[in-house]
PDB file of all heavy atoms in Angstrom:
ATOM      1  N   LYS N   1      -7.319   8.434  -9.481  1.00  0.00           N
ATOM      2  CA  LYS N   1      -8.158   9.589  -9.821  1.00  0.00           C
ATOM      3  C   LYS N   1      -8.233   9.825 -11.330  1.00  0.00           C
ATOM      4  O   LYS N   1      -9.303  10.058 -11.884  1.00  0.00           O
ATOM      5  CB  LYS N   1      -7.601  10.832  -9.123  1.00  0.00           C
ATOM      6  CG  LYS N   1      -8.543  12.024  -9.145  1.00  0.00           C
ATOM      7  CD  LYS N   1      -7.934  13.225  -8.451  1.00  0.00           C
ATOM      8  CE  LYS N   1      -7.973  13.038  -6.960  1.00  0.00           C
ATOM      9  NZ  LYS N   1      -7.499  14.239  -6.228  1.00  0.00           N
ATOM     10  N   GLU N   2      -7.077   9.748 -12.011  1.00  0.00           N
ATOM     11  CA  GLU N   2      -7.021  10.075 -13.434  1.00  0.00           C
ATOM     12  C   GLU N   2      -7.487   8.934 -14.351  1.00  0.00           C
ATOM     13  O   GLU N   2      -8.067   9.188 -15.394  1.00  0.00           O
ATOM     14  CB  GLU N   2      -5.585  10.453 -13.835  1.00  0.00           C
ATOM     15  CG  GLU N   2      -5.076  11.726 -13.210  1.00  0.00           C
ATOM     16  CD  GLU N   2      -5.693  12.976 -13.810  1.00  0.00           C
ATOM     17  OE1 GLU N   2      -5.854  13.056 -15.042  1.00  0.00           O
ATOM     18  OE2 GLU N   2      -6.023  13.884 -13.014  1.00  0.00           O
ATOM     19  N   TYR N   3      -7.185   7.689 -13.961  1.00  0.00           N
ATOM     20  CA  TYR N   3      -7.422   6.565 -14.871  1.00  0.00           C
ATOM     21  C   TYR N   3      -8.335   5.484 -14.309  1.00  0.00           C
ATOM     22  O   TYR N   3      -8.710   4.565 -15.026  1.00  0.00           O
ATOM     23  CB  TYR N   3      -6.081   5.936 -15.277  1.00  0.00           C
ATOM     24  CG  TYR N   3      -5.157   6.928 -15.940  1.00  0.00           C
ATOM     25  CD1 TYR N   3      -4.121   7.521 -15.225  1.00  0.00           C
ATOM     26  CD2 TYR N   3      -5.335   7.296 -17.263  1.00  0.00           C
ATOM     27  CE1 TYR N   3      -3.279   8.446 -15.817  1.00  0.00           C
ATOM     28  CE2 TYR N   3      -4.504   8.223 -17.865  1.00  0.00           C
ATOM     29  CZ  TYR N   3      -3.478   8.795 -17.137  1.00  0.00           C
ATOM     30  OH  TYR N   3      -2.661   9.721 -17.733  1.00  0.00           O
ATOM     31  N   GLY N   4      -8.637   5.551 -13.024  1.00  0.00           N
ATOM     32  CA  GLY N   4      -9.499   4.537 -12.417  1.00  0.00           C
ATOM     33  C   GLY N   4      -8.845   3.175 -12.277  1.00  0.00           C
ATOM     34  O   GLY N   4      -9.528   2.155 -12.165  1.00  0.00           O
ATOM     35  N   TYR N   5      -7.504   3.146 -12.286  1.00  0.00           N
ATOM     36  CA  TYR N   5      -6.779   1.883 -12.153  1.00  0.00           C
ATOM     37  C   TYR N   5      -6.919   1.301 -10.745  1.00  0.00           C
ATOM     38  O   TYR N   5      -7.201   2.014  -9.780  1.00  0.00           O
ATOM     39  CB  TYR N   5      -5.291   2.075 -12.433  1.00  0.00           C
ATOM     40  CG  TYR N   5      -4.930   2.469 -13.840  1.00  0.00           C
ATOM     41  CD1 TYR N   5      -3.722   3.098 -14.099  1.00  0.00           C
ATOM     42  CD2 TYR N   5      -5.767   2.226 -14.923  1.00  0.00           C
ATOM     43  CE1 TYR N   5      -3.347   3.468 -15.379  1.00  0.00           C
ATOM     44  CE2 TYR N   5      -5.410   2.594 -16.209  1.00  0.00           C
ATOM     45  CZ  TYR N   5      -4.202   3.216 -16.434  1.00  0.00           C
ATOM     46  OH  TYR N   5      -3.833   3.576 -17.699  1.00  0.00           O
ATOM     47  N   ASN N   6      -6.676   0.012 -10.627  1.00  0.00           N
ATOM     48  CA  ASN N   6      -6.567  -0.690  -9.341  1.00  0.00           C
ATOM     49  C   ASN N   6      -5.092  -0.585  -8.961  1.00  0.00           C
ATOM     50  O   ASN N   6      -4.249  -1.212  -9.598  1.00  0.00           O
ATOM     51  CB  ASN N   6      -7.004  -2.140  -9.526  1.00  0.00           C
ATOM     52  CG  ASN N   6      -7.011  -2.934  -8.240  1.00  0.00           C
ATOM     53  OD1 ASN N   6      -6.574  -2.474  -7.195  1.00  0.00           O
ATOM     54  ND2 ASN N   6      -7.490  -4.168  -8.334  1.00  0.00           N
ATOM     55  N   VAL N   7      -4.765   0.213  -7.957  1.00  0.00           N
ATOM     56  CA  VAL N   7      -3.365   0.548  -7.690  1.00  0.00           C
ATOM     57  C   VAL N   7      -2.992   0.239  -6.244  1.00  0.00           C
ATOM     58  O   VAL N   7      -3.763   0.479  -5.321  1.00  0.00           O
ATOM     59  CB  VAL N   7      -3.095   2.049  -7.969  1.00  0.00           C
ATOM     60  CG1 VAL N   7      -1.603   2.351  -7.893  1.00  0.00           C
ATOM     61  CG2 VAL N   7      -3.655   2.459  -9.319  1.00  0.00           C
ATOM     62  N   ARG N   8      -1.787  -0.288  -6.083  1.00  0.00           N
ATOM     63  CA  ARG N   8      -1.185  -0.497  -4.771  1.00  0.00           C
ATOM     64  C   ARG N   8       0.173   0.196  -4.795  1.00  0.00           C
ATOM     65  O   ARG N   8       0.744   0.425  -5.857  1.00  0.00           O
ATOM     66  CB  ARG N   8      -0.958  -1.989  -4.479  1.00  0.00           C
ATOM     67  CG  ARG N   8      -2.198  -2.849  -4.560  1.00  0.00           C
ATOM     68  CD  ARG N   8      -3.127  -2.620  -3.381  1.00  0.00           C
ATOM     69  NE  ARG N   8      -4.359  -3.369  -3.519  1.00  0.00           N
ATOM     70  CZ  ARG N   8      -5.460  -2.925  -4.089  1.00  0.00           C
ATOM     71  NH1 ARG N   8      -5.500  -1.728  -4.604  1.00  0.00           N
ATOM     72  NH2 ARG N   8      -6.541  -3.669  -4.158  1.00  0.00           N
ATOM     73  N   ASN N   9       0.685   0.507  -3.621  1.00  0.00           N
ATOM     74  CA  ASN N   9       2.035   1.055  -3.561  1.00  0.00           C
ATOM     75  C   ASN N   9       2.821   0.336  -2.475  1.00  0.00           C
ATOM     76  O   ASN N   9       2.247  -0.259  -1.563  1.00  0.00           O
ATOM     77  CB  ASN N   9       2.024   2.564  -3.347  1.00  0.00           C
ATOM     78  CG  ASN N   9       1.646   2.965  -1.952  1.00  0.00           C
ATOM     79  OD1 ASN N   9       0.567   2.621  -1.480  1.00  0.00           O
ATOM     80  ND2 ASN N   9       2.528   3.680  -1.287  1.00  0.00           N
ATOM     81  N   CYS N  10       4.136   0.383  -2.620  1.00  0.00           N
ATOM     82  CA  CYS N  10       5.016  -0.301  -1.670  1.00  0.00           C
ATOM     83  C   CYS N  10       6.398   0.339  -1.716  1.00  0.00           C
ATOM     84  O   CYS N  10       6.648   1.228  -2.513  1.00  0.00           O
ATOM     85  CB  CYS N  10       5.091  -1.795  -1.993  1.00  0.00           C
ATOM     86  SG  CYS N  10       5.842  -2.150  -3.586  1.00  0.00           S
ATOM     87  N   GLY N  11       7.290  -0.161  -0.854  1.00  0.00           N
ATOM     88  CA  GLY N  11       8.639   0.372  -0.800  1.00  0.00           C
ATOM     89  C   GLY N  11       9.688  -0.714  -0.958  1.00  0.00           C
ATOM     90  O   GLY N  11       9.451  -1.875  -0.626  1.00  0.00           O
ATOM     91  N   THR N  12      10.838  -0.313  -1.446  1.00  0.00           N
ATOM     92  CA  THR N  12      11.940  -1.262  -1.667  1.00  0.00           C
ATOM     93  C   THR N  12      12.833  -1.420  -0.454  1.00  0.00           C
ATOM     94  O   THR N  12      13.568  -2.399  -0.351  1.00  0.00           O
ATOM     95  CB  THR N  12      12.822  -0.833  -2.854  1.00  0.00           C
ATOM     96  OG1 THR N  12      13.321   0.491  -2.600  1.00  0.00           O
ATOM     97  CG2 THR N  12      12.044  -0.856  -4.160  1.00  0.00           C
ATOM     98  N   GLU N  13      12.807  -0.456   0.468  1.00  0.00           N
ATOM     99  CA  GLU N  13      13.683  -0.511   1.639  1.00  0.00           C
ATOM    100  C   GLU N  13      13.015  -1.330   2.737  1.00  0.00           C
ATOM    101  O   GLU N  13      12.195  -0.825   3.501  1.00  0.00           O
ATOM    102  CB  GLU N  13      14.023   0.892   2.125  1.00  0.00           C
ATOM    103  CG  GLU N  13      14.830   1.701   1.137  1.00  0.00           C
ATOM    104  CD  GLU N  13      16.152   1.055   0.760  1.00  0.00           C
ATOM    105  OE1 GLU N  13      16.775   0.403   1.627  1.00  0.00           O
ATOM    106  OE2 GLU N  13      16.571   1.197  -0.403  1.00  0.00           O
ATOM    107  N   LEU N  14      13.371  -2.606   2.801  1.00  0.00           N
ATOM    108  CA  LEU N  14      12.704  -3.537   3.702  1.00  0.00           C
ATOM    109  C   LEU N  14      12.796  -3.130   5.164  1.00  0.00           C
ATOM    110  O   LEU N  14      11.922  -3.463   5.963  1.00  0.00           O
ATOM    111  CB  LEU N  14      13.253  -4.943   3.499  1.00  0.00           C
ATOM    112  CG  LEU N  14      13.140  -5.501   2.079  1.00  0.00           C
ATOM    113  CD1 LEU N  14      13.687  -6.914   2.016  1.00  0.00           C
ATOM    114  CD2 LEU N  14      11.716  -5.450   1.579  1.00  0.00           C
ATOM    115  N   SER N  15      13.840  -2.373   5.525  1.00  0.00           N
ATOM    116  CA  SER N  15      14.012  -1.990   6.930  1.00  0.00           C
ATOM    117  C   SER N  15      13.024  -0.910   7.378  1.00  0.00           C
ATOM    118  O   SER N  15      12.760  -0.771   8.565  1.00  0.00           O
ATOM    119  CB  SER N  15      15.447  -1.530   7.181  1.00  0.00           C
ATOM    120  OG  SER N  15      15.730  -0.385   6.404  1.00  0.00           O
ATOM    121  N   TYR N  16      12.472  -0.123   6.437  1.00  0.00           N
ATOM    122  CA  TYR N  16      11.549   0.921   6.865  1.00  0.00           C
ATOM    123  C   TYR N  16      10.329   1.124   5.975  1.00  0.00           C
ATOM    124  O   TYR N  16       9.500   2.006   6.246  1.00  0.00           O
ATOM    125  CB  TYR N  16      12.271   2.249   7.082  1.00  0.00           C
ATOM    126  CG  TYR N  16      12.961   2.832   5.875  1.00  0.00           C
ATOM    127  CD1 TYR N  16      12.276   3.583   4.932  1.00  0.00           C
ATOM    128  CD2 TYR N  16      14.336   2.669   5.699  1.00  0.00           C
ATOM    129  CE1 TYR N  16      12.918   4.138   3.841  1.00  0.00           C
ATOM    130  CE2 TYR N  16      14.992   3.222   4.613  1.00  0.00           C
ATOM    131  CZ  TYR N  16      14.276   3.964   3.695  1.00  0.00           C
ATOM    132  OH  TYR N  16      14.915   4.510   2.623  1.00  0.00           O
ATOM    133  N   ALA N  17      10.156   0.346   4.949  1.00  0.00           N
ATOM    134  CA  ALA N  17       8.976   0.486   4.099  1.00  0.00           C
ATOM    135  C   ALA N  17       7.716   0.107   4.874  1.00  0.00           C
ATOM    136  O   ALA N  17       7.698  -0.902   5.582  1.00  0.00           O
ATOM    137  CB  ALA N  17       9.104  -0.390   2.860  1.00  0.00           C
ATOM    138  N   LEU N  18       6.688   0.912   4.748  1.00  0.00           N
ATOM    139  CA  LEU N  18       5.423   0.616   5.407  1.00  0.00           C
ATOM    140  C   LEU N  18       4.857  -0.711   4.883  1.00  0.00           C
ATOM    141  O   LEU N  18       4.458  -1.581   5.648  1.00  0.00           O
ATOM    142  CB  LEU N  18       4.428   1.750   5.163  1.00  0.00           C
ATOM    143  CG  LEU N  18       3.097   1.628   5.880  1.00  0.00           C
ATOM    144  CD1 LEU N  18       3.292   1.611   7.390  1.00  0.00           C
ATOM    145  CD2 LEU N  18       2.190   2.783   5.476  1.00  0.00           C
ATOM    146  N   ILE N  19       4.835  -0.852   3.551  1.00  0.00           N
ATOM    147  CA  ILE N  19       4.468  -2.107   2.906  1.00  0.00           C
ATOM    148  C   ILE N  19       5.640  -2.476   1.995  1.00  0.00           C
ATOM    149  O   ILE N  19       5.828  -1.858   0.946  1.00  0.00           O
ATOM    150  CB  ILE N  19       3.177  -1.965   2.076  1.00  0.00           C
ATOM    151  CG1 ILE N  19       2.018  -1.560   2.978  1.00  0.00           C
ATOM    152  CG2 ILE N  19       2.871  -3.265   1.327  1.00  0.00           C
ATOM    153  CD1 ILE N  19       0.764  -1.159   2.245  1.00  0.00           C
ATOM    154  N   PRO N  20       6.450  -3.446   2.395  1.00  0.00           N
ATOM    155  CA  PRO N  20       7.608  -3.829   1.570  1.00  0.00           C
ATOM    156  C   PRO N  20       7.177  -4.513   0.272  1.00  0.00           C
ATOM    157  O   PRO N  20       6.169  -5.233   0.250  1.00  0.00           O
ATOM    158  CB  PRO N  20       8.377  -4.805   2.462  1.00  0.00           C
ATOM    159  CG  PRO N  20       7.821  -4.633   3.837  1.00  0.00           C
ATOM    160  CD  PRO N  20       6.420  -4.159   3.668  1.00  0.00           C
ATOM    161  N   ILE N  21       7.946  -4.292  -0.770  1.00  0.00           N
ATOM    162  CA  ILE N  21       7.678  -4.981  -2.028  1.00  0.00           C
ATOM    163  C   ILE N  21       7.774  -6.484  -1.773  1.00  0.00           C
ATOM    164  O   ILE N  21       8.579  -6.933  -0.969  1.00  0.00           O
ATOM    165  CB  ILE N  21       8.656  -4.511  -3.130  1.00  0.00           C
ATOM    166  CG1 ILE N  21       8.168  -4.977  -4.502  1.00  0.00           C
ATOM    167  CG2 ILE N  21      10.091  -4.927  -2.829  1.00  0.00           C
ATOM    168  CD1 ILE N  21       8.862  -4.284  -5.665  1.00  0.00           C
ATOM    169  N   SER N  22       6.896  -7.237  -2.436  1.00  0.00           N
ATOM    170  CA  SER N  22       6.853  -8.676  -2.193  1.00  0.00           C
ATOM    171  C   SER N  22       6.590  -9.423  -3.497  1.00  0.00           C
ATOM    172  O   SER N  22       6.148  -8.845  -4.490  1.00  0.00           O
ATOM    173  CB  SER N  22       5.745  -9.015  -1.193  1.00  0.00           C
ATOM    174  OG  SER N  22       4.471  -8.779  -1.786  1.00  0.00           O
ATOM    175  N   GLU N  23       6.838 -10.707  -3.459  1.00  0.00           N
ATOM    176  CA  GLU N  23       6.563 -11.561  -4.614  1.00  0.00           C
ATOM    177  C   GLU N  23       5.094 -11.476  -4.996  1.00  0.00           C
ATOM    178  O   GLU N  23       4.748 -11.388  -6.174  1.00  0.00           O
ATOM    179  CB  GLU N  23       6.951 -13.005  -4.285  1.00  0.00           C
ATOM    180  CG  GLU N  23       6.715 -13.963  -5.430  1.00  0.00           C
ATOM    181  CD  GLU N  23       7.074 -15.401  -5.084  1.00  0.00           C
ATOM    182  OE1 GLU N  23       7.407 -15.693  -3.922  1.00  0.00           O
ATOM    183  OE2 GLU N  23       7.002 -16.237  -5.999  1.00  0.00           O
ATOM    184  N   ALA N  24       4.209 -11.480  -4.017  1.00  0.00           N
ATOM    185  CA  ALA N  24       2.770 -11.421  -4.303  1.00  0.00           C
ATOM    186  C   ALA N  24       2.402 -10.116  -5.009  1.00  0.00           C
ATOM    187  O   ALA N  24       1.664 -10.125  -6.004  1.00  0.00           O
ATOM    188  CB  ALA N  24       1.970 -11.583  -3.019  1.00  0.00           C
ATOM    189  N   LEU N  25       2.911  -8.978  -4.513  1.00  0.00           N
ATOM    190  CA  LEU N  25       2.612  -7.700  -5.152  1.00  0.00           C
ATOM    191  C   LEU N  25       3.148  -7.648  -6.576  1.00  0.00           C
ATOM    192  O   LEU N  25       2.478  -7.150  -7.487  1.00  0.00           O
ATOM    193  CB  LEU N  25       3.184  -6.543  -4.330  1.00  0.00           C
ATOM    194  CG  LEU N  25       2.450  -6.203  -3.038  1.00  0.00           C
ATOM    195  CD1 LEU N  25       3.254  -5.203  -2.220  1.00  0.00           C
ATOM    196  CD2 LEU N  25       1.065  -5.663  -3.330  1.00  0.00           C
ATOM    197  N   ILE N  26       4.348  -8.163  -6.763  1.00  0.00           N
ATOM    198  CA  ILE N  26       4.958  -8.166  -8.095  1.00  0.00           C
ATOM    199  C   ILE N  26       4.123  -8.987  -9.073  1.00  0.00           C
ATOM    200  O   ILE N  26       3.862  -8.569 -10.200  1.00  0.00           O
ATOM    201  CB  ILE N  26       6.409  -8.686  -8.018  1.00  0.00           C
ATOM    202  CG1 ILE N  26       7.289  -7.654  -7.309  1.00  0.00           C
ATOM    203  CG2 ILE N  26       6.962  -9.020  -9.402  1.00  0.00           C
ATOM    204  CD1 ILE N  26       8.657  -8.173  -6.911  1.00  0.00           C
ATOM    205  N   HIS N  27       3.667 -10.149  -8.647  1.00  0.00           N
ATOM    206  CA  HIS N  27       2.876 -11.006  -9.531  1.00  0.00           C
ATOM    207  C   HIS N  27       1.436 -10.524  -9.673  1.00  0.00           C
ATOM    208  O   HIS N  27       0.773 -10.832 -10.664  1.00  0.00           O
ATOM    209  CB  HIS N  27       2.926 -12.461  -9.050  1.00  0.00           C
ATOM    210  CG  HIS N  27       4.232 -13.108  -9.360  1.00  0.00           C
ATOM    211  ND1 HIS N  27       4.562 -13.570 -10.614  1.00  0.00           N
ATOM    212  CD2 HIS N  27       5.313 -13.332  -8.584  1.00  0.00           C
ATOM    213  CE1 HIS N  27       5.784 -14.070 -10.596  1.00  0.00           C
ATOM    214  NE2 HIS N  27       6.263 -13.924  -9.371  1.00  0.00           N
ATOM    215  N   TRP N  28       0.951  -9.756  -8.714  1.00  0.00           N
ATOM    216  CA  TRP N  28      -0.396  -9.188  -8.779  1.00  0.00           C
ATOM    217  C   TRP N  28      -0.498  -8.159  -9.897  1.00  0.00           C
ATOM    218  O   TRP N  28      -1.505  -8.077 -10.607  1.00  0.00           O
ATOM    219  CB  TRP N  28      -0.727  -8.542  -7.422  1.00  0.00           C
ATOM    220  CG  TRP N  28      -1.948  -7.689  -7.438  1.00  0.00           C
ATOM    221  CD1 TRP N  28      -3.253  -8.096  -7.311  1.00  0.00           C
ATOM    222  CD2 TRP N  28      -1.995  -6.269  -7.605  1.00  0.00           C
ATOM    223  NE1 TRP N  28      -4.084  -7.010  -7.382  1.00  0.00           N
ATOM    224  CE2 TRP N  28      -3.341  -5.880  -7.563  1.00  0.00           C
ATOM    225  CE3 TRP N  28      -1.012  -5.286  -7.782  1.00  0.00           C
ATOM    226  CZ2 TRP N  28      -3.738  -4.559  -7.698  1.00  0.00           C
ATOM    227  CZ3 TRP N  28      -1.407  -3.973  -7.906  1.00  0.00           C
ATOM    228  CH2 TRP N  28      -2.759  -3.617  -7.865  1.00  0.00           C
ATOM    229  N   ALA N  29       0.557  -7.382 -10.089  1.00  0.00           N
ATOM    230  CA  ALA N  29       0.513  -6.205 -10.967  1.00  0.00           C
ATOM    231  C   ALA N  29       0.564  -6.550 -12.450  1.00  0.00           C
ATOM    232  O   ALA N  29       1.307  -7.427 -12.878  1.00  0.00           O
ATOM    233  CB  ALA N  29       1.676  -5.281 -10.624  1.00  0.00           C
ATOM    234  N   ASP N  30      -0.230  -5.803 -13.222  1.00  0.00           N
ATOM    235  CA  ASP N  30      -0.118  -5.833 -14.685  1.00  0.00           C
ATOM    236  C   ASP N  30       1.026  -4.923 -15.113  1.00  0.00           C
ATOM    237  O   ASP N  30       1.609  -5.108 -16.182  1.00  0.00           O
ATOM    238  CB  ASP N  30      -1.413  -5.321 -15.340  1.00  0.00           C
ATOM    239  CG  ASP N  30      -2.620  -6.183 -15.023  1.00  0.00           C
ATOM    240  OD1 ASP N  30      -2.491  -7.426 -15.006  1.00  0.00           O
ATOM    241  OD2 ASP N  30      -3.701  -5.609 -14.775  1.00  0.00           O
TER     242      ASP N  30
END
């Protein structure tokens, strides 16, 4: 809303994160 960025979100707790952090997400991000 504020900056118009391309943004994704994820979680670090692999046992319950809706979208767990991954190698692809890490390399995708600036």
Side-chain angles (χ1 to χ4, degrees):
K1 193 180 285 185
E2 294 286 318
Y3 302 101
Y5 295 158
N6 184 353
V7 189
R8 303 287 176 269
N9 73 302
C10 64
T12 57
E13 295 302 325
L14 303 181
S15 62
Y16 61 83
L18 185 61
I19 299 170
I21 193 166
S22 68
E23 181 181 6
L25 286 171
I26 290 168
H27 285 282
W28 168 83
D30 297 320

